Amino acid sequence: VCGCCGALRPRYKRLVDNIFPEDPEDGLVKTNMEKLTFYALSAPEKLDRIGAYLSERLIRDVGRHRYGYVCIAMEALDQLLMACHCQSINLFVESFLKMVAKLLESEKPNLQILGTNSFVKFANIEEDTPSYHRSYDFFVSRFSEMCHSSHDDLEIKTKIRMSGIKGLQGVVRKTVNDELQANIWDPQHMDKIVPSLLFNLQHVEEAESRSPSPLQAPEKEKESPAELAERCLRELLGRAAFGNIKNAIKPVLIHLDNHSLWEPKVFAIRCFKIIMYSIQPQHSHLVIQQLLGHLDANSRSAATVRAGIVEVLSEAAVIAATGSVGPTVLEMFNTLLRQLRLSIDYALTGSYDGAVSLGTKIIKEHEERMFQEAVIKTVGSFASTLPTYQRSEVILFIMSKVPRPSLHQAVDTGRTGENRNRLTQIMLLKSLLQVSTGFQCNNMMSALPSNFLDRLLSTALMEDAEIRLFVLEILISFIDRHGNRHKFSTISTLSDISVLKLKVDKCSRQDTVFMKKHSQQLYRHIYLSCKEETNVQKHYEALYGLLALISIELANEEVVVDLIRLVLAVQDVAQVNEENLPVYNRCALYALGAAYLNLISQLTTVPAFCQHIHEVIETRKKEAPYMLPEDVFVERPRLSQNLDGVVIELLFRQSKISEVLGGSGYNSDRLCLPYIPQLTDEDRLSKRRSIGETISLQVEVESRNSPEKEERVPAEEITYETLKKAIVDSVAVEEQERERRRQVVEKFQKAPFEEIAAHCGARASLLQSKLNQIFEITIRPPPSPSGTITAAYGQPQNHSIPVYEMKFPDLCVY
């Protein structure tokens, strides 16, 4: 009866019915809507019933395709939501969300857009009371589906996608800051939201390729789904807390993998730039860790994919370095260097498994080389953003990864027949060169500590010309602190070096201490590098740059004297030619000496010294231009076929230089001494072991192992009893040693002074007698294989015959 007679229906139903006009085109009846709003505010307990009734009408109108009344109902709901903020609004919201879901389920684009707009308005309302049971799972799924709309009509497709993005933005705003709501950061939600936004970002090029007319361009830009998706993604990431970064970044990596977006790498770089500039700076290292882990996970992927990840990592790391990288600095470099080693192995073996089989994916070497260059570039770009102390740590870390050269280094070859260790050394030295470029450190002791310098210079003794060149360039990068390096890129004999506009500072106390400690080591490696037969023009240019920079950055009077002695010794190498160097190398050494002495003479500003250098250079220009850099270090060198018997007028004379510099306060006694490099154990790492040493070593080994001397002892079988006995014996030996030390200490504490003095004197006498025996053996000529002859006075005299006439045993033939 109440349903048939309108006057008997509840008042809230009558008020709801009155807001709907007879003709839906007339729109919402505003006066009646004001009455309904006043009633809802006056009787908030009726709000849930009003919502339920409106929902009932809307569902009925949708089913009857009365879309005009549907729009009126949604408008009424929106106004009620904006006006009412009472405690019972939660029940009304449930009815509202039910109606929005009904619209979103419709196949009509206009209804979907209408429902989305209403939801966005609702998302912007701050509720006074929390809700414990509300769920947005359906809305996340539906809005994500709308973001991937493929409607035939481009305009409708764009509107649907934009509505989907706005809906996701509304869900994020409504839930991200409310701990009582469903956690929007759960993987089940992020795996839908983030790919939907990236999908629309990905298609920005497609929209731009259609080139709208200039008049339509502003409107087109406002309606672009890509811009809206980027804004939504920035807002999402900006709200992410520390524990939610991982769930937000992982879908990005998966999306780039699934759509093969690492290889063009433009879109991937754009995505991570958005991420890095949107998140809080203290969370940057979390993104770097995610990328490093993804790089490790894709260590067996194609080289182009890994190169794309590394490029993205490079861009992200540079941005992160401006904020907080945290403990990921060495972790990043460790991962990159590990990937570099793996790439070298892949290039050498030709497969990811180390063995080529039918099912193995063949690797392209040039792609692996591109990946290696990308890694090296990333190492350099990231290191350039680090502070000095962290950069020093990175330099030491990379150097510790460089394989140490060894005489017995195993040659591990792959498909190309190249040495794996050699390639690893080259790539790591390239990385080190990238890190050292632009490195500024006032204290050379900190920039080049002893352990680092020893390892670096030991690498400089290797036969490989490419490795030696890298070492020289690394040293130049460390020493050049005023940007003078490029001014010495070409070797020349300028008559006035003021045109170079060199930046010269006085040598500091720290630099003086550094040179006192390491100068001879540096000189020795420069000298030995000059004697290499495999040197080319780049090596001599690097050597000239290194000598020049030492003279400018680290030189005092003592260093200048030593450098002049070193260059004169290099001139002697070219003149005497004990190393049997090619003609080009000898001419290059003459030219190198001329260029450096021309530079140092003008830096010292001693007129007599400058005059002597200038006279020799002018003489060479007239009589021997092949001894000057202008004729040697060119594309087609003009060389002399006969360098023997060079006249003294063409050489820089040590006596003359010591005379003119001695008169200006330099140490003339030191200048008169020829430079002789100090021999160290590092020579054993190079090819400079003489044939005589090798023969004597072989003779000694063969004599010790010959069957006439002793028989081979069979190898002892290692058993449990053997190991047990060894452990027990070692313990007994340690106890004996401790007892012996105790007795010695007790003797020196309690014995009288005369007894201690006598004991020490006996030891000194024994030592002196042993030394006398050694000196006698050393000074006395070796016995002749042919026996002895008698001298004129009847005394037997040992007589040595030349080495080439000795008859060696067959086993000693070299």
Side-chain angles (χ1 to χ4, degrees):
V1 174
C2 292
C4 297
C5 184
L8 299 178
R9 287 183 300 163
R11 186 182 178 188
Y12 74 88
K13 287 190 176 182
R14 295 199 306 270
L15 291 174
V16 170
D17 290 337
N18 292 338
I19 66 174
F20 291 95
E22 293 183 2
D23 187 358
E25 294 183 359
D26 294 340
L28 183 68
V29 181
K30 294 183 178 180
T31 56
N32 293 335
M33 185 64 213
E34 292 175 357
K35 294 178 182 179
L36 177 62
T37 303
F38 179 77
Y39 177 77
L41 292 173
S42 303
E45 69 276 3
K46 300 293 184 180
L47 190 60
D48 57 333
R49 298 185 182 183
I50 295 173
Y53 184 61
L54 272 171
S55 175
E56 180 184 341
R57 286 204 56 155
L58 183 138
I59 293 173
R60 184 172 66 245
D61 291 336
V62 170
R64 295 176 180 178
H65 302 288
R66 298 165 65 178
Y67 301 124
Y69 289 118
V70 172
C71 296
I72 292 173
M74 292 306 301
E75 185 177 354
L77 283 169
D78 293 341
Q79 291 190 23
L80 287 173
L81 274 175
M82 299 298 293
C84 301
H85 293 280
C86 59
Q87 293 182 354
S88 59
I89 195 174
N90 281 333
L91 297 176
F92 176 74
V93 169
E94 294 300 325
S95 300
F96 169 78
L97 293 178
K98 184 178 179 181
M99 286 182 280
V100 172
K102 185 65 178 179
L103 294 179
L104 293 177
E105 288 176 347
S106 174
E107 297 181 357
K108 297 291 184 180
N110 291 335
L111 295 184
Q112 296 176 13
I113 296 171
L114 178 63
T116 302
N117 293 336
S118 296
F119 183 85
V120 171
K121 292 177 183 178
F122 161 71
N124 293 326
I125 297 175
E126 295 184 3
E127 300 181 48
D128 296 335
T129 57
S131 174
Y132 298 93
H133 59 279
R134 195 179 299 162
S135 175
Y136 295 96
D137 293 357
F138 168 78
F139 295 100
V140 172
S141 300
R142 184 57 185 155
F143 288 140
S144 299
E145 184 180 346
M146 291 171 64
C147 289
H148 292 81
S149 174
S150 57
H151 198 279
D152 296 335
D153 191 332
L154 177 61
E155 185 176 355
I156 294 176
K157 179 175 70 174
T158 302
K159 289 182 179 180
I160 294 175
R161 288 187 178 182
M162 291 189 67
S163 296
I165 297 170
K166 290 177 181 178
L168 291 177
Q169 191 176 27
V171 172
V172 171
R173 289 178 178 175
K174 199 66 180 174
T175 60
V176 73
N177 291 326
D178 192 350
E179 296 180 357
L180 299 174
Q181 300 286 358
N183 190 1
I184 199 68
W185 300 105
D186 287 342
Q188 59 178 349
H189 299 310
M190 285 290 104
D191 290 346
K192 297 175 183 177
I193 295 175
V194 174
S196 301
L197 300 176
L198 294 179
F199 177 79
N200 286 275
L201 269 176
Q202 181 182 343
H203 289 77
V204 63
E205 294 86 1
E206 178 182 339
E208 291 177 352
S209 63
R210 290 179 174 82
S211 303
S213 62
L215 295 177
Q216 296 176 345
E219 183 180 359
K220 189 72 177 177
E221 290 178 2
K222 292 180 182 179
E223 296 178 354
S224 170
E227 291 183 358
L228 186 60
E230 180 178 343
R231 189 164 61 250
C232 182
L233 182 61
R234 289 183 183 275
E235 183 178 348
L236 174 69
L237 295 169
R239 296 171 181 265
F242 182 86
N244 302 324
I245 293 292
K246 182 178 180 181
N247 291 341
I249 301 301
K250 188 176 180 180
V252 178
L253 300 173
I254 295 175
H255 181 83
L256 296 174
D257 286 341
N258 294 339
H259 293 268
S260 302
L261 296 173
W262 293 111
E263 296 182 26
K265 70 192 172 188
V266 176
F267 177 73
I269 291 176
R270 183 188 174 201
C271 285
F272 274 90
K273 280 187 175 181
I274 292 173
I275 292 171
M276 298 304 296
Y277 284 120
S278 301
I279 63 175
Q280 300 178 29
Q282 62 267 29
H283 299 159
S284 299
H285 68 280
L286 297 177
V287 181
I288 302 298
Q289 287 177 342
Q290 287 283 96
L291 281 169
L292 291 174
H294 197 66
L295 180 60
D296 281 337
N298 286 270
S299 59
R300 293 180 181 271
S301 300
T304 51
V305 173
R306 286 179 280 132
I309 299 175
V310 169
E311 290 281 352
V312 172
L313 186 60
S314 173
E315 297 288 341
V318 170
I319 298 172
T322 59
S324 172
V325 184
T328 59
V329 175
L330 291 183
E331 178 188 352
M332 177 177 176
F333 285 101
N334 189 32
T335 301
L336 291 174
L337 297 183
R338 182 170 62 251
Q339 292 295 325
L340 198 60
R341 287 176 175 269
L342 287 175
S343 177
I344 292 171
D345 290 340
Y346 295 158
L348 289 174
T349 58
S351 69
Y352 296 117
D353 303 322
V356 180
S357 60
L358 293 177
T360 302
K361 183 179 179 181
I362 302 300
I363 295 174
K364 297 179 180 178
E365 285 188 28
H366 70 279
E367 292 181 353
E368 290 296 336
R369 294 294 172 90
M370 289 175 58
F371 169 72
Q372 294 162 14
E373 293 298 329
V375 171
I376 294 170
K377 178 184 175 183
T378 301
V379 168
S381 62
F382 181 45
S384 63
T385 62
L386 297 176
T388 303
Y389 72 95
Q390 279 189 328
R391 207 164 174 183
S392 300
E393 292 178 359
V394 170
I395 288 170
L396 294 176
F397 178 76
I398 296 176
M399 195 65 211
S400 67
K401 298 291 184 180
V402 178
R404 295 182 71 92
S406 172
L407 275 177
H408 306 290
Q409 183 174 346
V411 179
D412 193 3
T413 57
R415 185 176 59 185
T416 58
E418 294 180 280
N419 187 354
R420 177 179 279 103
N421 287 334
R422 174 186 174 274
L423 288 177
T424 305
Q425 288 167 344
I426 289 175
M427 291 302 168
L428 292 178
L429 288 175
K430 277 186 179 181
S431 304
L432 192 59
L433 179 59
Q434 287 286 335
V435 176
S436 62
T437 301
F439 181 69
Q440 297 290 335
C441 185
N442 295 327
N443 190 352
M444 290 301 297
M445 294 292 290
S446 301
L448 293 171
S450 298
N451 56 346
F452 172 78
L453 189 61
D454 292 342
R455 292 200 62 169
L456 184 64
L457 293 180
S458 66
T459 309
L461 291 175
M462 298 184 65
E463 295 183 23
D464 193 284
E466 190 174 2
I467 292 178
R468 293 201 312 274
L469 182 59
F470 280 129
V471 173
L472 292 173
E473 291 178 346
I474 290 169
L475 286 172
I476 289 173
S477 298
F478 279 111
I479 296 175
D480 181 25
R481 293 173 293 183
H482 294 88
N484 292 317
R485 176 180 182 177
H486 66 280
K487 300 173 184 177
F488 303 111
S489 57
T490 57
I491 308 178
S492 61
T493 53
L494 293 174
S495 58
D496 184 10
I497 62 170
S498 61
V499 297
L500 297 177
K501 297 180 180 180
L502 299 174
K503 299 177 182 178
V504 183
D505 282 344
K506 186 178 180 181
C507 182
S508 65
R509 181 177 177 274
Q510 292 88 347
D511 294 342
T512 303
V513 173
F514 172 80
M515 290 304 291
K516 283 185 177 180
K517 185 175 182 181
H518 298 292
S519 59
Q520 295 303 320
Q521 194 177 6
L522 286 171
Y523 302 154
R524 174 176 174 274
H525 284 81
I526 293 174
Y527 178 78
L528 296 178
S529 296
C530 290
K531 297 170 67 175
E532 292 290 344
E533 295 182 12
T534 54
N535 285 345
V536 295
Q537 181 175 341
K538 289 185 177 180
H539 291 84
Y540 295 111
E541 290 174 351
L543 288 167
Y544 174 68
L546 182 58
L547 289 168
L549 289 172
I550 293 175
S551 305
I552 292 174
E553 299 282 352
L554 307 173
N556 51 27
E557 289 187 2
E558 183 179 348
V559 173
V560 170
V561 169
D562 287 340
L563 287 173
I564 293 173
R565 291 172 57 222
L566 172 63
V567 173
L568 293 175
V570 170
Q571 178 182 257
D572 292 340
V573 170
Q575 182 183 5
V576 179
N577 197 23
E578 292 180 352
E579 304 290 331
N580 293 323
L581 296 175
V583 174
Y584 174 79
N585 296 60
R586 297 177 66 186
C587 291
L589 292 180
Y590 281 126
L592 175 65
Y596 175 74
L597 290 175
N598 175 68
L599 173 69
I600 197 66
S601 64
Q602 297 185 54
L603 288 175
T604 55
T605 63
V606 177
F609 184 31
C610 294
Q611 182 180 358
H612 172 66
I613 302 301
H614 180 70
E615 289 175 356
V616 175
I617 291 175
E618 290 298 322
T619 306
R620 288 187 180 184
K621 285 181 180 179
K622 297 176 181 178
E623 302 180 10
Y626 50 83
M627 299 174 69
L628 293 175
E630 286 78 10
D631 277 31
V632 177
F633 301 118
V634 291
E635 185 177 353
R636 293 182 178 180
R638 293 179 288 275
L639 308 176
S640 172
Q641 297 301 322
N642 185 15
L643 288 176
D644 298 330
V646 176
V647 296
I648 194 171
E649 288 78 9
L650 299 176
L651 300 177
F652 301 100
R653 299 190 298 279
Q654 190 160 3
S655 58
K656 179 67 175 178
I657 293 175
S658 62
E659 178 185 347
V660 295
L661 288 180
S664 299
Y666 288 88
N667 190 343
S668 58
D669 295 336
R670 190 175 181 86
L671 272 169
C672 292
L673 297 175
Y675 173 76
I676 299 175
Q678 298 177 353
L679 296 178
T680 65
D681 293 338
E682 290 176 340
D683 287 332
R684 291 179 297 178
L685 304 179
S686 67
K687 63 178 184 302
R688 298 179 180 85
R689 181 181 294 275
S690 66
I691 296 177
E693 292 175 338
T694 306
I695 292 175
S696 63
L697 180 63
Q698 288 180 346
V699 170
E700 182 181 358
V701 172
E702 293 292 344
S703 62
R704 288 182 178 179
N705 295 334
S706 62
E708 291 81 6
K709 295 279 184 177
E710 59 178 339
E711 296 182 357
R712 290 185 176 272
V713 179
E716 183 180 359
E717 183 180 359
I718 299 176
T719 61
Y720 171 76
E721 295 297 332
T722 307
L723 295 175
K724 183 178 179 180
K725 182 180 178 182
I727 295 173
V728 174
D729 291 345
S730 63
V731 174
V733 170
E734 290 179 0
E735 292 180 353
Q736 294 175 2
E737 181 66 21
R738 283 198 295 269
E739 179 64 21
R740 188 187 66 80
R741 290 181 180 178
R742 188 188 62 79
Q743 293 176 357
V744 171
V745 172
E746 184 178 357
K747 178 179 179 181
F748 275 86
Q749 287 177 346
K750 298 181 179 180
F753 175 76
E754 292 77 7
E755 182 180 347
I756 296 174
H759 176 71
C760 295
R763 294 184 60 183
S765 302
L766 179 62
L767 175 62
Q768 186 62 42
S769 64
K770 296 294 183 183
L771 289 175
N772 292 335
Q773 292 179 14
I774 294 173
F775 292 149
E776 183 180 358
I777 295 172
T778 306
I779 298 172
R780 188 176 57 200
S784 172
S786 59
T788 59
I789 59 174
T790 303
Y793 298 98
Q795 299 291 334
Q797 180 181 6
N798 292 323
H799 176 70
S800 298
I801 63 173
V803 175
Y804 55 84
E805 293 183 3
M806 291 184 181
K807 298 187 181 298
F808 289 96
D810 294 339
L811 294 176
C812 297
V813 176
Y814 179 72

